Amino acid sequence: MSTRNEKANAIRALSMDAVQKANSGHPGMPMGMADIAEVLWSDYLKHNPQNPDWFDRDRFVLSNGHGSMLLYSLLHLSGYDLSIDDLRDFRQLHSKTPGHPEYGMTPGVETTTGPLGQGLAMSVGMALAEKMLAARFNTKEHQLVDHHTYVFAGDGCLMEGVSHEACSLAGTLGLGKLIVFYDDNGISIDGKVEGWFTDDTPKRFEAYGWHVVANVDGHDPEALKQATEAARAETDRPTLICCKTTIGFGSPNLAGTAKSHGAPLGDDEIALVRGQIGWSHPPFEIPTNVYEAWSAKERGAALEAQWDGTWKAYQTAYPEKAAEFQRRMDGTFPDGWEEAVTSALQVAQDKGDKKATRAASLTALNALAPVLPELVGGSADLTGSNKTLWSGSTTVTGDTPDGNYIYYGVREFAMTAMLNGLTLHGGFIPYAGTFLVFSDYARNALRLSALMKIQSIHVYTHDSIGLGEDGPTHQPVEHVASLRLIPNMTVWRPCDVVETVAAWKDAIERKDGPTCLALSRQGLPHQQRDAETLRNVQRGGYVLKDCEGTPQLILMGTGSEVQIAVEAADQLATEGIDVRVVSMPSMEVFEAQDEAYKNTVLPPEVEARVAIEAGVVDSWYRYVGYKGRCLGMESFGESAPANVLYQHFGLTVEALIAEAKGLL
């Protein structure tokens, strides 16, 4: 049987060899954290390599994702569907071993990481999901949901602001099954961190309300075991285990230096490492006894079988709760969902309320959330402004984890990353709100939700200069356009209650990516629709108001500017001009329609087109064409009442008519 040292050295060898073959990568961290990984994965991690999606597995997140070869080595050695040839293809096109771990590409990778601090923040969301699900489904006799979230993080993760935000909230929420191993090697890309990172990290985390195990020798398996046991025994607080390690451990000339961080060690140095650690095997060759010692297949199958027994007993004792749990794990909708959506759309159309779309969003939530118990909301200290607290909301706290609403505090970045973690964990459909302008604070987490193609729902209110007196610091002008630039992101900017309900329906039913809802502060009038038009709202872009025959002119808009287009069309009609008004609440959803439908909405032969939107209008040129025009913002806003601002910036019926006539 292989020794612990041999098992850890297998990680070191695979990591330095893969980086060397790719001529690119980060060998230092995997070599430094190999001993920590060996103890955790050999003695504690609950997982089944033959079923990476087993629900009650422990979640392992490599927040310092640049050290991806550590994770790939662990997955390969323990028996996941990741071959030695996959390791040879490290960082190559379409390989299962990309430069940083990517969710959905490699079996066993729980989340995409690499932007430092993001993995740690998402892990807080995962641990919170575990605690919330356990509170809802566990019984005294049956611990159906009972797993840990383990995180590897480095100095860089703890320097990033998002980790401060998330870890502060993790302590407040008492996430006792969150255990973070801090790789305290004192080195970052620029060298020794003592020149720019002198925090007393243990005291900082103690102040957050964490349990801290300080000064652990990260190369001593017994010390690591004792620290992990202490962490697992602490059930009321998350734990930070501070591990003193040497980056590039085993390298005679580069260990402990920044030179081992982000570049191949070189053939000569690798040969010296092999001698230093006593590893005589050629590149990518692992002895049979080491594979046997690492394999987690048998243990993993036994752990899952044990859970299966719990699950069967639970189904017998609590059939209704078991059916609900199964439904959530399957990602299907409950009975009554379709009826609730259909009713909400029809009621919105029939009532014809004039509302701000942020208020319309609350109307939608009150109609849809009662039949969707997995919906979990929240806001970054703007609950009243975002209108995210529906009538059945109950607060999630450390003592009441069975709630469905999270007060994130002023933590937009952590909130968005935690939202991703909640989504990735499973069992919930989470949404969270802030002002649209503050989406900038959360940009990297937003981007990761789109990169991972996960169902995070981002609620953004106060969507334009229409918010008024708070001025340009709070008035988003470039944000809707910039969100539309993110691949796989769906953006909705609805014009009334009906479109807002449709936006929520699409966001909740979409399983292959995130959605942003851009909602107004100011009241917006209801738009009249017939039955066909009401159905077409779901298609992202549709003919809201039409003329007889082929139009001479098409006016387009979203949100608060749709009414301007409608009024302009009415006035132009009195002058004998045939005008069509197209509402385009979601360009992404419209683009997903077939060409025939898109051409019925925007006939190619009609070249006179004007789009209006209270923001940067670059994204509209694909629809107005070379001969069309756009009316929007070309500067930041001003501090004044909304109606004054629309006049000042020329977003008026009169200005739109003038632009339109200039094309005819």
Side-chain angles (χ1 to χ4, degrees), residues 22 34 44 49 173-174 239 277 286 445 458 488 522-523 546 578 609-610:
Y44 298 102
L173 293 172
T239 295
I277 66 175
I286 304 296
H458 311 283
N488 203 48
Q522 73 273 31
D546 212 358
D578 294 327
R609 305 178 183 185
V610 185

Side-chain angles (χ1 to χ4, degrees), residues 589-644:
V589 174
F590 181 69
E591 282 301 309
Q593 307 305 308
D594 60 75
E595 287 299 315
Y597 174 76
K598 289 191 283 188
N599 287 338
T600 63
V601 176
L602 299 173
E605 65 271 18
V606 182
E607 295 183 333
R609 305 178 183 185
V610 185
I612 180 170
E613 190 169 61
V616 173
V617 293
D618 292 37
S619 52
W620 282 101
Y621 283 99
R622 75 166 87 173
Y623 299 119
V624 300
Y626 291 116
K627 297 183 179 180
R629 295 182 181 178
C630 295
L631 202 61
M633 296 293 294
E634 296 179 353
S635 68
F636 293 111
E638 296 281 355
S639 179
N643 61 327
V644 174

Side-chain angles (χ1 to χ4, degrees), residues 1-15:
M1 179 61 70
S2 176
T3 65
R4 284 192 181 277
N5 190 48
E6 284 179 303
K7 291 170 68 181
N9 285 339
I11 296 173
R12 294 185 174 104
L14 287 173
S15 298

Side-chain angles (χ1 to χ4, degrees), residues 523-564:
L524 304 182
H526 171 71
Q527 301 298 331
Q528 293 298 323
R529 300 173 182 85
D530 59 24
E532 181 181 3
T533 307
L534 183 60
R535 287 192 298 270
N536 286 338
V537 172
Q538 295 292 327
R539 306 184 81 164
Y542 63 101
V543 178
L544 175 64
K545 185 180 180 65
D546 212 358
C547 57
E548 294 291 332
T550 302
Q552 298 170 261
L553 170 72
I554 298 176
L555 301 179
M556 294 175 271
T558 70
S560 43
E561 290 71 66
V562 169
Q563 179 61 23
I564 296 174

